[in-house]
Amino acid sequence: MCFVAGKPNLFANANFDASGLVRQVRCLLRFVAVLFSVTFPAIMAAGKPFSFKDTPGKLPKEVIPLEYSVRIVPNIVEFAFTGTETVKLNVCSPVRQLVLNALELEIPEAFLDGKELPKSAIKIDKEKELLALALPSQLVPGDHELALYFKGKINQQGQGLFYMPYQEQGSGTKKIMLGTQFEATDARRFFPCWDEPVFRARFQLTVVVPENWLAVSNMPIESEKKITEGKEVRFAPTPPMSSYLNVLVAGELDFIESRVGPTQIRVIATKGKAEFGRYALEATALILQYYNDYFGVPYPLPKLDQIALPGGFGGAMENWGGITYYESALLFDPKNSSAGTKQNIYEVLAHEMAHMWFGDLVTMAWWDNLWLNEGFASWMGTKCTAHFNPQWEVWLRRELPRDPTRRVGIAKEAAMEGDARSTTHPIHRPIATEAEANSAFDDITYKKGQSFLRMLESFLGEDVFRDGIRRYIAAHKYSNTTTADLWNALSEASKKPVGDIAAGWTEQPGFPIVKVKRDPGEKVSLTQERFTVNFKNAPLLEWKIPLTYLVIGRAPATLLMISTIDKLENIPADRALKLNVNGTGNYRVQYDEPSWILLLRALPKLGVEDRVNLLSDAWALVQADRAPVSLYFGLVEKLPASTEIAEREQIINVLDFINGLLLGNPERKEFQRCARSLLRPTFETLGWQPKDGEPPTAGNLRASLINVLGDLNDPAIIAGCRERFEKYLANAASLAPDLRPAVFAVVGRYADEKTWTTLHQLGLKTTSIEDKRNYYDALACANDPKLVKKTLAIALTDELPTSRAVFLVPKVARESAYPDIAWEFAKANIKALLAKTDAAGANRYAPSLFTFFSDDSRADELKTYAKNNLPPPSAPEVAKVVDEIQFRAEFKKRLAAQLNAWIDKNDP
Ligand SMILES: [Zn+2]
């Protein structure tokens, strides 16, 4: 999120080719894709390789910015800034105007090659977010220089340059700091620029800040001098990169630092908190070495800063050399943070750092290929996290639905659920507008992308896959790419038609189910068809499926299934056969009865990966109405007793979902009793107290069980939580950090006014963002409608960081028994709430509040509300939520009827 101009020789010894940029710009032909010699011709189906001039976008491609030098003077009293910039341009063919991006900027003066343009020549198109400068005469090809003066505003939400109010560690004094967030299309709010990813340039930033502030950008500080307004900080210029990767963070900050080879690494936080970055700093060092090796091109910048922000946005942003994180996604307090926080930090770090290569060094040409950035970083981050922390079982687990702050996906299941619906879309899809670019950041992009890459890696082999990635990075560093470029590199490395296999997975929506049927004579027939949920008359599609299978007692084998029907031979009739070994494939499997019975018998011989895969598929079959719920519970009951987290969490998630769905149904009470009896034995094995030598995931599982059993009205759990909360009030150390979020949530759920106020006071007082979240999340669970309203009102105050405050409302919609009160509140205050939401959030916010309804009438209400109140870019989100409500309404009826049979069977 930031920049600067610099000495041209700064990169003389660095690993990027500075002269390469100049060559690019000198001649457009340079951009016309340099194709690899590809062995397999079928790549057309997966799109075309990168070509500058064919890349979509609004900006004309005749003029190319080479170097920016930008100086910004923020005014933190008036929340505004002034700026100046010069841009070195290369003009490839004669033009009569310059067109670039600008949004919410005033531009009083513009100069070209030192001559001022008349005021009438400066035109801003607000709608299109464009700045057009009419030129007095035709501009001839060659080098030119544009200079602009501009004024902008400092926003409350994480868009462009924004401010964050926070309480200082220790003193609790109220302070303010600045940060930026530019992806996808908000760099144009900070300075006029060619704000499309294909326009790579060097950026040199200078900023004026108070003397006691630390300013951080992509590159190290080059010089600093005192001036009347404070100090002027000049950063070194960046390598050629996309505009959305610039960063500026400034405030009263501290840091801790270390070094990996030539790279300085730092964790930066508000004063007094830097030491909580110790865990992240150590992880950064390990991850950096791992990636330096994996990608074959070492991290190219002189420094890498990991920066904790106390607000503004909820996730993390991969600005090159200066990654920003929401504070609780980076800082770990060993005395007070939970195991879940620790794991989340690792995953987010690994994801964002993977972007330093995939995204920053090599960038997708246009937002239609966003998955190249996000699917890849999700896959790579999870692979790296699993490598260093196998005990976390990260490939198998999905984030818990009660943790909506998690952006980074480890969750194949979440992507498959969305991808089975009528509202899904291909990984690769056209993006025309800024709003569409912001909507591209969804589960399909992140998680289906990740899941497909994992399937492909397991099919091609880890080493071959890595060699392909190394080829890709080496060939495209400091440039842009499309999906076809990645397939070409992997095809070269593997000598397999990767583009041909991939096309079905990236260019068309959905995924297949493979049906397994035993035939006489040791033969098994396989049939594929599209797997859908709540989607009648779905278009028929076919995939090339890289199948893996396992006959118990033999080594796993593979089969590329290229048509609707296929066969496996030599499968003994009395031996269990498991498809999708370790669940690495992005498809469902349905077994015929003889195969299923053999599998149930073989459960103790299967690893946890395969058991989780069977559970997930069985539950998906129930959702799709391909099997009754007894198939799923029959499997759960046959599982060997275990405390393996991924397996137990899968069951917890399903029970939690059903419990939410049955809200208000007469079956709910009996269901809760049966569900408690399913989960209780695991909790009793674990107990309340952490034990010496237990696996590190035991704390997570214990917390999940407490949370869900509390939800399921377990009187012993509720009493146990209350007792522990009282002790915690007297002595915080008495309650293990792992258990705090769960214990607070259960106490909050059954809170009276006095308890609610106690939790609220704790939340007001703490300066830890993580603790704050735990307390306010607990408030959001309250079941008493009077307290529900009190919690909702907090969303309009400044008690919580802006980005968190608004999400209190969806949290209440999900956790309390009153999603209707949450929606009424949001409807009445929508303007104030949306003012606190960033660009990506604005399209989703109102629809997201309907997600927890399960009456058809609410689907109609949302449609009407959207028609009258929401902008057109919200349409895909609205359609998704309407589909979800209709699915839930149908599923609720079906499930209630089927559950009766299960409940009767479990009657004591
Ligand atoms: Zn990402």
Side-chain angles (χ1 to χ4, degrees):
M1 299 179 169
C2 150
F3 26 71
V4 177
K7 301 178 211 152
N9 65 347
L10 184 80
F11 295 104
N13 299 318
N15 289 312
F16 78 86
D17 176 8
S19 62
L21 177 75
V22 179
R23 284 202 308 275
Q24 273 180 4
V25 172
R26 296 292 170 201
C27 176
L28 269 175
L29 286 177
R30 160 76 175 73
F31 281 101
V32 177
V34 182
L35 261 171
F36 297 127
S37 55
V38 182
T39 328
F40 303 95
I43 54 143
M44 283 312 288
K48 289 184 184 158
F50 171 61
S51 138
F52 176 75
K53 83 177 162 44
D54 295 335
T55 298
K58 277 185 200 157
L59 300 177
K61 299 211 168 51
E62 287 81 21
V63 177
I64 298 160
L66 299 180
E67 288 178 35
Y68 294 77
S69 181
V70 185
R71 184 177 186 271
I72 299 284
V73 185
N75 179 335
I76 50 169
V77 180
E78 287 170 17
F79 296 123
F81 64 90
T82 56
T84 54
E85 71 178 5
T86 57
V87 193
K88 286 189 182 148
L89 302 173
N90 185 261
V91 175
C92 299
S93 54
V95 290
R96 284 303 303 259
Q97 63 168 1
L98 297 176
V99 183
L100 55 157
N101 294 108
L103 182 59
E104 296 199 325
L105 294 178
E106 259 178 70
I107 299 161
E109 287 173 52
F111 297 80
L112 186 68
D113 296 330
K115 282 188 214 108
E116 183 164 12
L117 299 173
K119 304 266 176 284
S120 60
I122 307 171
K123 290 245 156 58
I124 293 188
D125 184 335
K126 239 176 111 180
E127 198 95 313
K128 295 201 172 106
E129 307 183 3
L130 294 176
L131 163 66
L133 300 167
L135 305 176
S137 58
Q138 202 170 58
L139 197 59
V140 294
D143 293 340
H144 296 277
E145 189 174 89
L146 173 69
L148 296 170
Y149 290 78
F150 52 95
K151 292 178 196 169
K153 59 176 199 177
I154 303 179
N155 293 302
Q156 183 189 10
Q157 77 279 44
Q159 272 185 331
L161 181 62
F162 63 94
Y163 68 92
M164 289 155 275
Y166 65 96
Q167 289 160 276
E168 193 171 68
Q169 176 79 356
S171 69
T173 316
K174 288 199 170 163
K175 299 270 172 159
I176 226 169
M177 65 175 283
L178 297 178
T180 55
Q181 169 60 33
F182 295 152
E183 195 181 21
T185 57
D186 285 325
R188 63 192 67 172
R189 293 174 188 267
F190 191 55
F191 61 111
C193 57
W194 279 256
D195 198 14
E196 292 178 1
V198 77
F199 288 96
R200 297 178 88 93
R202 294 154 171 270
F203 298 86
Q204 186 274 313
L205 177 72
T206 304
V207 63
V208 174
V209 292
E211 244 195 290
N212 63 335
W213 280 27
L214 175 67
V216 186
S217 183
N218 305 80
M219 297 294 286
I221 292 173
E222 201 174 66
S223 65
E224 224 178 80
K225 64 176 178 204
K226 280 187 196 172
I227 56 170
T228 3
E229 303 96 314
K231 63 178 176 185
E232 184 183 273
V233 183
R234 181 186 168 92
F235 297 96
T238 70
M241 66 176 197
S242 302
S243 51
Y244 77 91
L245 294 170
N246 281 287
V247 65
L248 169 67
V249 174
E252 291 180 41
L253 308 174
D254 272 348
F255 61 85
I256 52 172
E257 65 182 315
S258 171
R259 191 159 271 284
V260 174
T263 315
Q264 178 200 36
I265 54 174
R266 299 191 292 183
V267 174
I268 301 173
T270 55
K271 243 196 184 112
K273 287 188 171 177
E275 195 49 46
F276 296 142
R278 190 59 60 186
Y279 173 66
L281 190 70
E282 283 162 12
T284 298
L286 281 179
I287 296 169
L288 194 61
Q289 291 168 61
Y290 179 84
Y291 287 162
N292 278 342
D293 173 59
Y294 189 90
F295 289 111
V297 172
Y299 177 75
L301 306 190
K303 62 99 175 167
L304 173 58
D305 287 328
Q306 312 276 23
I307 312 163
L309 301 184
F313 70 143
M317 176 61 211
E318 69 267 22
N319 319 293
W320 213 3
I323 310 175
T324 45
Y325 299 81
Y326 185 59
E327 192 179 287
S328 61
L330 187 66
L331 301 186
F332 180 79
D333 173 359
K335 280 206 193 96
N336 294 302
S337 296
S338 70
T341 296
K342 191 176 199 173
Q343 185 184 326
N344 192 43
I345 290 170
Y346 208 100
E347 286 168 18
V348 180
L349 277 172
H351 175 104
E352 299 306 326
M353 287 174 68
H355 276 312
M356 298 298 103
W357 286 262
F358 251 83
D360 298 1
L361 182 60
V362 181
T363 311
M364 86 255 130
W366 180 243
W367 302 107
D368 57 349
N369 273 307
L370 178 65
W371 90 279
L372 274 181
N373 278 10
E374 297 304 345
F376 191 90
S378 300
W379 168 79
M380 186 81 245
T382 310
K383 184 180 169 74
C384 171
T385 303
H387 173 81
F388 287 110
N389 310 278
Q391 74 283 2
W392 287 343
E393 299 180 7
V394 286
W395 280 120
L396 303 179
R397 293 163 64 191
R398 62 176 297 163
E399 65 259 51
L400 298 177
R402 43 184 81 252
D403 194 356
T405 55
R406 305 248 324 238
R407 258 316 278 273
V408 175
I410 51 172
K412 180 177 92 165
E413 287 301 316
M416 290 177 90
E417 280 174 16
D419 203 20
R421 305 296 184 84
S422 63
T423 48
T424 188
H425 59 82
I427 285 181
H428 180 248
R429 59 172 169 166
I431 299 287
T433 64
E434 284 77 9
E436 284 175 14
N438 282 314
S439 295
F441 293 79
D442 67 1
D443 274 357
I444 296 290
T445 300
Y446 281 73
K447 296 173 184 169
K448 187 180 182 183
Q450 162 183 4
S451 187
F452 173 66
L453 288 172
R454 183 163 189 240
M455 177 164 72
L456 195 59
E457 185 202 25
S458 82
F459 182 69
L460 299 179
E462 263 185 281
D463 292 346
V464 170
F465 193 86
R466 188 201 55 218
D467 291 348
I469 297 300
R470 285 179 178 173
R471 277 168 195 263
Y472 171 85
I473 295 282
H476 303 287
K477 59 184 177 183
Y478 304 103
S479 184
N480 296 66
T481 53
T482 67
T483 300
D485 294 312
L486 179 61
W487 300 154
N488 287 345
L490 289 168
S491 295
E492 281 203 328
S494 66
K495 311 280 179 263
K496 287 194 174 117
V498 174
D500 195 29
I501 298 170
W505 301 89
T506 57
E507 306 299 313
Q508 62 183 17
F511 60 90
I513 179 168
V514 177
K515 293 159 103 174
V516 177
K517 189 173 157 294
R518 298 270 175 166
D519 292 333
E522 305 207 332
K523 283 192 180 127
V524 169
S525 61
L526 307 174
T527 327
Q528 66 155 300
E529 61 191 45
R530 185 171 182 183
F531 180 84
T532 59
V533 170
N534 196 39
F535 187 7
K536 289 198 182 80
N537 307 316
L540 300 176
L541 298 171
E542 221 178 280
W543 286 262
K544 292 193 167 59
I545 310 174
L547 275 181
T548 51
Y549 64 96
L550 173 74
V551 175
I552 303 296
R554 290 187 193 162
T558 60
L559 167 77
L560 184 62
M561 185 173 182
I562 54 169
S563 60
T564 321
I565 304 168
D566 213 326
K567 254 189 181 13
L568 296 176
E569 309 214 1
N570 190 21
I571 310 288
D574 59 348
R575 296 269 282 279
L577 165 73
K578 165 82 181 40
L579 267 69
N580 196 357
V581 179
N582 295 332
T584 53
N586 194 79
Y587 51 89
R588 302 282 181 204
V589 181
Q590 183 165 27
Y591 299 90
D592 66 351
E593 208 181 335
S595 306
W596 186 246
I597 291 168
L598 287 171
L599 267 174
L600 289 180
R601 277 190 212 136
L603 283 174
K605 290 185 192 143
L606 293 178
V608 63
E609 295 89 351
D610 283 317
R611 296 200 308 270
V612 170
N613 178 235
L614 288 177
L615 282 166
S616 307
D617 277 2
W619 177 239
L621 294 174
V622 177
Q623 289 182 310
D625 203 11
R626 285 173 182 264
V629 76
S630 55
L631 178 91
Y632 177 79
F633 283 119
L635 172 61
V636 171
E637 284 159 5
K638 288 262 172 6
L639 288 171
S642 97
T643 53
E644 270 164 307
I645 185 151
E647 183 182 287
R648 293 297 128 181
E649 273 183 357
Q650 201 286 337
I651 300 165
I652 289 171
N653 281 336
V654 167
L655 296 176
D656 188 53
F657 174 84
I658 298 176
N659 188 43
L661 197 63
L662 294 183
L663 189 70
N665 261 48
E667 288 82 5
R668 194 177 196 222
K669 218 173 149 202
E670 278 302 292
F671 163 77
Q672 290 187 336
R673 185 182 57 75
C674 295
R676 289 195 303 264
S677 68
L678 263 186
L679 297 174
R680 261 281 171 189
T682 315
F683 182 70
E684 263 132 43
T685 308
L686 288 171
W688 279 93
Q689 278 312 107
K691 296 180 186 71
D692 287 341
E694 69 180 14
T697 44
N700 301 50
L701 182 56
R702 185 179 287 115
S704 292
L705 284 163
I706 290 171
N707 215 331
V708 72
L709 284 166
D711 240 10
L712 292 167
N713 238 324
D714 187 311
I717 292 285
I718 297 168
C721 286
R722 284 181 170 149
E723 191 190 313
R724 280 163 183 82
F725 182 62
E726 287 305 320
K727 281 192 193 146
Y728 169 81
L729 292 176
N731 170 21
S734 68
L735 185 58
D738 282 354
L739 295 193
R740 288 178 198 170
V743 167
F744 300 165
V746 174
V747 168
R749 186 171 301 286
Y750 301 99
D752 56 13
E753 184 130 11
K754 186 168 158 267
T755 310
W756 189 95
T757 307
T758 306
L759 282 165
H760 188 207
Q761 288 303 322
L762 288 166
L764 281 171
K765 225 174 72 195
T766 181
T767 55
S768 153
I769 295 283
E770 183 183 350
D771 288 350
K772 234 185 228 310
R773 189 186 72 189
N774 291 340
Y775 295 129
Y776 283 87
D777 278 359
L779 296 179
C781 292
N783 266 340
D784 176 342
K786 236 184 28 241
L787 300 178
V788 169
K789 286 181 187 156
K790 280 179 80 162
T791 308
L792 289 167
I794 297 172
L796 300 174
T797 69
D798 58 3
E799 285 178 27
L800 284 172
T802 307
S803 59
R804 293 299 90 193
V806 278
F807 289 105
L808 207 51
V809 185
K811 181 88 185 158
V812 168
R814 190 200 183 276
E815 294 293 345
S816 81
Y818 297 96
D820 48 334
I821 300 182
W823 167 236
E824 287 306 319
F825 171 84
K827 201 161 55 172
N829 299 287
I830 196 76
K831 247 195 156 154
L833 291 168
L834 287 185
K836 295 182 172 195
T837 314
D838 64 14
N843 293 338
R844 296 185 175 140
Y845 191 70
S848 75
L849 294 167
F850 278 80
T851 310
F852 306 107
F853 289 128
S854 52
D855 315 284
D856 284 322
S857 64
R858 291 288 185 176
D860 297 333
E861 185 186 344
L862 173 58
K863 279 192 261 183
T864 313
Y865 179 82
K867 209 170 108 196
N868 298 330
N869 300 282
L870 297 180
S874 299
E877 284 305 315
V878 171
K880 258 187 230 170
V881 174
V882 165
D883 175 67
E884 180 65 21
I885 301 170
Q886 288 167 343
F887 163 67
R888 282 176 186 238
E890 182 277 323
F891 195 32
K892 182 158 87 172
K893 281 180 218 137
R894 181 153 51 90
L895 211 51
Q898 293 180 4
L899 278 170
N900 276 329
W902 180 60
I903 289 165
D904 289 345
K905 204 185 109 214
N906 280 274
D907 221 356

